[in-house]
Amino acid sequence: MSIIVFAGPSLSQEKALEILPNANIRPPAKQGDLYLATLDKPQIIVLIDGFFESVPAVWHKEILHAMSIGIHVYGSSSMGALRAAELNVFGMVGSGQIYERYASGEYEDDDEVALTHGPAELNYMLVSRAMVDLRHDLAGACNEGILTHAQAEILEKQLKSLWYPERTHTQLCTFAQALLSTQHSTQGIASDKLEALRVFLKQHSQSLKELDAINLLKDIAKIDLNTLAAKTVTYVLQENDAWYTLINDVVKQRQPKIDVNLPSPTEPIKHLEEDKLPAKLRVLALERAQELGIDVKPWIQPAFHKVALAWQCVSQDDRVEFEKMSQKIQALTLTTQQFDQWIEREALLMAYADQIIIQAEHILDESLIRTGMDITSAVSVS
């Protein structure tokens, strides 16, 4: 395992493997993932994507540790560009336009590269668009003569004022439409230009994050790993209590499952509130599904679609409307990690339910309960 790459959604696994066929492509990095990667003794670690607010982000000390034991660490596009700009003086190698802008101080905010996206099983589908990519879109529209630089500057400021999950092409066009309505203004956008903008965004828009990632991997593909010397650094890593705490947290074995205490048949069963029964059944089903080791991945997309239907975020042609989904997630104050975990639980339940064989007596059990309820209701009425 000579090269480990943390990528998605800036660069798909498929595109990464086209450039580096023998690389080990891993999901966006969270705190502890780079340390775990060092245990596999790669020659190169490439950090492209990482989690921001939903879970603790990649710790600088993980990167410093990797380089101190001889591993070359590169960064680009998103979290990689941020960390490379912060650690370039220690030897981390940054690459790409986004990295250069962070390193020069032109960009300072983390939200320049932040966005919301779906889980790995849905190929990190984009729900919002990074500010750096929207800036790139506006620059491209200017180059095509669709927008003036003054108009692009107004739209850029409006987009930057939004919370990062709200930044989308749709919102960009909404702002442009509002600018069109101010015909008295010298900055108004003509209707034909507005349509041209929509077409440009739909057909010709490019992600600067992806371009930077591709260029970095192409540069790494040129490296002869057989002659690549180990990384050398001039600093000494201080292994304090916080560092050892991190190591203990990420390498410890998975905690045992919580035992569910069920009443024995000889004990009197207390009244069970009806609204709690489904929750208890979910707990038992999830425990059983995990014990069986059911592969949940094929069920992620059906589970996501199930939730989208329940939330009325599916169009008439059965397409998920991701912006509506994002609004729902925000309204529920769910983090990306919380939503992903919820979808995984739903997928696991669907997968487990598919394994269960429904027999006649099971249907009869439920029918008798319902019949008894109907009879009781009829007696009480009479």
Side-chain angles (χ1 to χ4, degrees):
M1 193 177 296
S2 295
I3 302 176
I4 294 175
V5 180
F6 292 95
S10 295
L11 185 68
S12 69
Q13 181 179 21
E14 291 75 19
K15 289 185 179 180
L17 289 174
E18 285 178 8
I19 304 169
L20 296 173
N22 297 318
N24 177 249
I25 313 300
R26 301 188 180 183
K30 60 183 182 299
Q31 189 177 92
D33 285 347
L34 255 83
Y35 173 77
L36 291 175
T38 65
L39 301 181
D40 293 321
K41 297 180 172 52
Q43 292 174 271
I44 295 173
I45 293 176
V46 182
L47 177 61
I48 294 173
D49 289 305
F51 289 104
F52 284 84
E53 61 179 21
S54 58
V55 293
V58 171
W59 195 12
H60 302 75
K61 201 154 193 170
E62 297 176 70
I63 299 171
L64 295 174
H65 166 72
M67 294 190 294
S68 73
I69 60 174
I71 300 171
H72 297 261
V73 183
Y74 294 79
S76 180
S77 304
S78 190
M79 177 62 78
L82 277 169
R83 289 293 181 260
E86 294 160 343
L87 298 176
N88 55 12
V89 295
F90 294 98
M92 184 175 179
V93 180
S95 174
Q97 295 183 52
I98 298 170
Y99 159 73
E100 294 291 347
R101 290 168 189 171
Y102 273 118
S104 68
E106 180 181 348
Y107 291 165
E108 296 181 351
D109 301 332
D110 291 359
D111 79 334
E112 285 288 333
V113 293
L115 49 76
T116 53
H117 59 81
E121 290 79 6
L122 295 178
N123 296 319
Y124 303 104
M125 58 181 185
L126 299 183
V127 178
S128 65
R129 191 162 177 83
M131 190 65 210
V132 290
D133 284 342
L134 288 169
R135 292 184 195 275
H136 193 62
D137 294 332
L138 291 170
C142 287
N143 292 336
E144 293 294 322
I146 300 171
L147 297 175
T148 66
H149 289 287
Q151 290 168 343
E153 185 176 349
I154 292 172
L155 296 175
E156 185 178 309
K157 288 179 179 178
Q158 290 175 314
L159 290 165
K160 179 65 175 176
S161 69
L162 297 175
W163 186 35
Y164 75 86
E166 299 173 355
R167 296 171 183 159
T168 63
H169 277 164
T170 300
Q171 189 59 60
L172 191 163
C173 290
T174 299
F175 284 144
Q177 177 68 51
L179 198 58
L180 169 63
S181 66
T182 59
Q183 289 295 331
H184 62 281
S185 170
T186 57
Q187 304 300 338
I189 300 176
S191 57
D192 60 331
K193 295 291 187 181
L194 182 62
E195 182 58 28
L197 176 62
R198 291 195 177 101
V199 172
F200 172 78
L201 294 176
K202 185 175 182 179
Q203 298 182 3
H204 305 292
S205 176
Q206 288 185 306
S207 167
L208 183 60
K209 294 174 74 173
E210 182 181 68
L211 292 173
D212 279 359
I214 288 173
N215 289 333
L216 172 56
L217 295 195
K218 285 182 177 179
D219 288 340
I220 290 175
K222 299 174 185 176
I223 298 174
D224 184 354
L225 297 178
N226 294 320
T227 60
L228 180 64
K231 179 78 174 181
T232 58
V233 297
T234 57
Y235 58 84
V236 177
L237 188 73
Q238 299 298 318
E239 298 182 345
N240 54 19
D241 289 344
W243 175 245
Y244 288 118
T245 298
L246 172 70
I247 294 175
N248 290 332
D249 285 344
V250 298
V251 301
K252 65 184 179 182
Q253 293 184 357
R254 186 179 179 183
Q255 293 294 323
K257 298 182 180 67
I258 298 172
D259 291 331
V260 179
N261 295 318
L262 296 176
S264 65
T266 58
E267 295 176 353
I269 299 177
K270 296 179 180 179
H271 173 67
L272 180 64
E273 295 179 32
E274 189 174 344
D275 61 343
K276 289 184 179 179
L277 181 58
K280 287 181 176 287
L281 292 176
R282 283 173 64 92
V283 170
L284 294 174
L286 284 168
E287 288 285 336
R288 180 57 178 155
Q290 290 169 350
E291 288 174 2
L292 293 174
I294 296 174
D295 182 11
V296 72
K297 291 181 181 178
W299 291 89
I300 291 290
Q301 192 159 357
F304 185 86
H305 196 269
K306 170 189 171 183
V307 173
L309 279 172
W311 285 358
Q312 298 181 339
C313 295
V314 177
S315 63
Q316 291 183 349
D317 59 352
D318 204 37
R319 293 178 180 272
V320 175
E321 297 175 322
F322 294 116
E323 287 189 33
K324 284 187 178 181
M325 289 289 289
S326 178
Q327 292 168 5
K328 290 280 188 180
I329 293 168
Q330 292 171 37
L332 292 169
T333 64
L334 293 173
T335 65
T336 300
Q337 184 193 27
Q338 288 171 332
F339 180 71
D340 289 350
Q341 289 175 342
W342 178 40
I343 293 296
E344 287 178 6
R345 290 198 300 274
E346 292 300 318
L348 188 56
L349 284 172
M350 292 176 72
Y352 178 57
D354 187 63
Q355 303 293 319
I356 298 172
I357 300 174
I358 304 296
Q359 298 180 3
E361 58 265 28
H362 302 140
I363 298 173
L364 178 62
D365 292 341
E366 181 67 18
S367 298
L368 285 172
I369 292 173
R370 295 300 170 194
T371 301
M373 291 172 61
D374 293 342
I375 292 174
T376 302
S377 177
V379 170
S380 63
V381 171
S382 62

